[in-house]
Amino acid sequence: MLTTEQKKSYQQNGYLVLEECFSAEQMGVLKNSANNIVAEFDPNSTRTVFSTEDQTKTRDDYFLSSGDKVRCFFEEDAFDDKGQLKQDKSLSINKIGHALHQLVPEFKGFSHNDKIRDIALDLGLAKPQIHQSMYIFKQPKIGGVIRWHQDASYFLTTPISVVTFWLAVEDATLENGCLQVGKGCAEMPLKEQFKRFEDDTTELTQLHDFPWPDDDTALPLEVKAGTLVVFNGLLPHFSAPNVSDKSRHAFTLHITCGNTLYAQENWLQAPPSKL
Ligand SMILES: O=C(O)CCC(=O)C(=O)O
């Protein structure tokens, strides 16, 4: 599936952009399915927001028990001072997580297709297994920042193996908060580890104190819908707030290698699905 050049580029840069990997029709199916989940979601069932700025906001039970469920998380700016939604719920959800690949037929079929599997194998995941899936809305005007991070902080294995499959369901631009990656950072040592303890408390442990790349040195990945971006677990990346009037939907999979040791402290302990 991947050429030698593409594999080399992934090794050198820590990421690879695969344009026109999936069709507009396939993106339409995923988008409809995500919209249906939101349509069925009772907005009064939770007030949990997803924030990467304030880590305490992601530690409640609704989040920590979502590894094998399909749950909606609000944008941080979705509510007014009185705790009421500022706009329709369809424009208020930050993301759906974290077992779409197991529980929702459209996402299950998409995630377990041969293309994803072949790419995973080509990138060196000898026994690829999916731990997590997310549908990210990056809503117009209120789509929040995703701070700099490395995905191995959340899906730590020994040796490190996690690869993120980030699919643009809609066009991603600088205006609507596209993914941005660190240049020359393919092997930046792991800076943080997000740990979950037996009593369900969590901690973001600092492993190194060197700084994240400056925002203005990052490489924005402006891509068309249907493009798949794959990147390794050490590559620092972030996305800026969406201040535009266009959403930026994306679907992500976090895939590790079954031949590695999955850390007991990782927050998500639900059994992965084999690819
Ligand atoms: O889609 C985004 O804005 C960021 C996603 C991300 O950082 C991730 O999946 O690790």
Side-chain angles (χ1 to χ4, degrees), residues 28-67:
V29 170
L30 298 186
K31 204 174 186 173
N32 273 342
S33 178
N35 288 338
N36 288 340
I37 293 167
V38 174
E40 282 171 23
F41 167 65
D42 171 6
N44 296 313
S45 61
T46 178
R47 279 291 182 265
T48 299
V49 301
F50 183 73
S51 164
T52 62
E53 291 282 85
D54 178 356
Q55 292 288 323
T56 58
K57 292 205 174 127
T58 67
R59 294 173 195 163
D60 65 5
D61 181 61
Y62 183 78
F63 179 89
L64 288 176
S65 60
S66 66

Side-chain angles (χ1 to χ4, degrees), residues 134 136 138 146 149 151 164 166 179 231 237 239 248 252 254:
M134 297 190 289
I136 303 170
K138 203 86 173 177
I146 301 290
H149 64 283
D151 286 354
T164 302
W166 187 99
L179 197 63
F231 55 92
H237 57 285
S239 67
R248 194 232 62 193
T252 65
H254 287 91

